[in-house]
Amino acid sequence: MLSFALGIGTQNTQGDWLEIYYPAPLLNPDASLVAAAKEALGAPAGNTAISFLPEDCTRLAKALEAAGHSDQAELAETLAASQRPLVAMFLATDEAPQTVPEVYLKLQLLSHRLVKPHGLDLTGMFGLLRNIAWTNEGAIDIEELPARRLKARMAGRALSVDCVDKFPKMTDYVVPTGIRIGDTARVRLGAYLGEGTTVMHEGFVNFNAGTEGPGMIEGRISAGVMVGKGSDLGGGCSTMGTLSGGGNIVIKVGEGCLIGANAGIGIPLGDRCTVEAGLYITAGSKVTLLDDQGQVVNTVAARELAGQDDQLWRRNSQNGRIECLTNKSAIALNEALHAHN
């Protein structure tokens, strides 16, 4: 069994799942736990989401306790007081998700740092997720928002819509240890933030993307992009993810790198690389290679330099050409700025 989790979620008036919160998802759970939960809930084999009622929690808790898993038994007992729909998600194999509960489990496995980006199959997930109004009263199906807003007003309440999106913000579900986030709305559920990561107010981290940590993120980490330890993304810079034009190339940033303010990359970087502020490198960009004496060696497409270490990328201020040479001044993080005490 790849994963097991007990969750509490939200459904629309048609009974369709909108979102699910899994307080304590498990990766590679003990077989005895899975067997006890399956027997108590009558779950079939394979990847399956089982809806159950609060009155089922006592039976489930006893089964889990008898199998020697007191933590999950305690969670089941806590869920007995729920006023919301409950679900048990059994993820036997990593295949393209078929249900909303499965998508939400995979996203939370990422944000809990149990699996790294690209470690799970998320194919087709957009077609499963509904467009949702994320409000001060929870998730609301966008088609049901007018009726809910009127109902709230009639009861003397103001319904505030924070955003309309298929993804919620990560911190409503998971707050990993040892991080700082200036604006939590800019980190989507499914982001992976390694310990020591700081995401400043203008920084953004998409799902299935993130940082090894420590690092300072003032720019954009697009879907599918992973940033190595000790790297900084300057204000307004961007990384081209597979959803935004990167194709099949997996864009990543190595360790000890610096992408300057308003710069960007459409190729993966190796370790100890620096990209000058304002310079955007795409795979097809023509790049002039320079030796240690500043002499021209060759002109190549940027894709031919992808993933190489110790590169300094800059634009020649006199002729405008993009140049690449050996990086002799790799960055070192400011320890005080990256402390998370």
Side-chain angles (χ1 to χ4, degrees), residues 27-48:
L27 182 68
N28 300 320
D30 190 89
S32 62
L33 181 151
V34 176
K38 280 190 172 184
E39 183 176 357
L41 297 174
N47 295 347
T48 184

Side-chain angles (χ1 to χ4, degrees), residues 143-199:
E143 296 180 359
E144 299 174 1
L145 181 60
R148 285 287 297 274
R149 181 185 286 116
L150 178 59
K151 182 178 179 180
R153 290 281 182 172
M154 292 174 64
R157 307 189 309 273
L159 186 65
S160 176
V161 178
D162 297 321
C163 72
V164 178
D165 195 2
K166 290 194 171 190
F167 289 79
K169 59 184 180 181
M170 182 190 75
T171 53
D172 282 352
Y173 296 78
V174 184
V175 179
T177 58
I179 65 167
R180 288 190 289 145
I181 302 176
D183 183 351
T184 58
R186 297 182 66 82
V187 180
R188 275 173 145 185
L189 181 63
Y192 180 109
L193 297 186
E195 188 160 358
T197 298
T198 294
V199 183

Side-chain angles (χ1 to χ4, degrees), residues 39-331:
E39 183 176 357
L41 297 174
N47 295 347
T48 184
I50 298 295
S51 298
F52 62 100
L53 300 173
E55 49 263 37
D56 298 322
C57 290
T58 300
R59 181 178 72 257
L60 176 60
K62 288 181 178 179
L64 295 174
E65 187 69 43
H69 301 280
S70 56
D71 289 349
Q72 290 292 311
E74 183 177 346
L75 175 57
E77 290 177 345
T78 300
L79 293 175
S82 175
Q83 306 276 322
R84 308 295 292 276
L86 302 174
V87 64
M89 184 67 221
F90 298 87
L91 194 61
T93 56
D94 183 26
E95 301 172 358
Q98 301 298 313
T99 65
V100 171
E102 187 175 347
V103 172
Y104 268 82
L105 175 55
K106 289 188 172 185
L107 292 176
Q108 285 170 70
L109 288 172
L110 285 162
S111 290
H112 273 286
R113 300 179 186 150
L114 295 173
V115 181
K116 289 187 176 181
H118 300 287
L120 293 169
D121 189 348
L122 298 173
T123 305
M125 60 179 293
F126 282 98
L128 298 172
L129 298 178
R130 288 177 173 268
N131 209 20
I132 293 172
W134 301 96
T135 78
N136 60 323
E137 295 188 4
I140 299 176
D141 191 316
I142 195 67
E143 296 180 359
E144 299 174 1
L145 181 60
R148 285 287 297 274
R149 181 185 286 116
L150 178 59
K151 182 178 179 180
R153 290 281 182 172
M154 292 174 64
R157 307 189 309 273
L159 186 65
S160 176
V161 178
D162 297 321
C163 72
V164 178
D165 195 2
K166 290 194 171 190
F167 289 79
K169 59 184 180 181
M170 182 190 75
T171 53
D172 282 352
Y173 296 78
V174 184
V175 179
T177 58
I179 65 167
R180 288 190 289 145
I181 302 176
D183 183 351
T184 58
R186 297 182 66 82
V187 180
R188 275 173 145 185
L189 181 63
Y192 180 109
L193 297 186
E195 188 160 358
T197 298
T198 294
V199 183
M200 295 300 289
H201 295 75
E202 294 304 316
F204 173 82
V205 187
N206 213 333
F207 75 97
N208 200 31
T211 64
E212 291 281 359
M216 179 72 73
I217 307 303
E218 297 182 85
R220 177 184 180 87
I221 303 179
S222 299
V225 178
M226 193 67 174
V227 177
K229 295 179 181 179
S231 292
D232 278 11
L233 270 61
C237 80
S238 62
T239 55
M240 187 185 293
T242 53
L243 295 178
S244 58
N248 295 322
I249 299 175
V250 176
I251 306 298
K252 66 176 183 178
V253 178
E255 298 184 4
C257 293
L258 171 64
I259 302 179
N262 296 318
I265 58 169
I267 61 169
L269 297 180
D271 298 337
R272 299 173 302 278
C273 292
T274 297
V275 179
E276 181 185 70
L279 175 60
Y280 203 115
I281 306 164
T282 62
S285 297
K286 298 302 180 183
V287 183
T288 300
L289 298 180
L290 303 180
D291 62 19
D292 289 345
Q293 285 70 47
Q295 299 301 308
V296 175
V297 176
N298 198 4
T299 298
V300 298
R303 63 171 62 89
E304 297 183 38
L305 304 175
Q308 296 185 24
D309 299 335
D310 300 301
Q311 295 176 328
L312 170 61
W313 297 78
R314 69 188 188 190
R315 187 176 294 280
N316 189 300
S317 60
Q318 292 183 313
N319 56 34
R321 72 187 180 191
I322 300 174
E323 299 177 340
C324 183
L325 60 158
T326 301
N327 186 22
K328 297 181 179 180
S329 57
I331 68 165

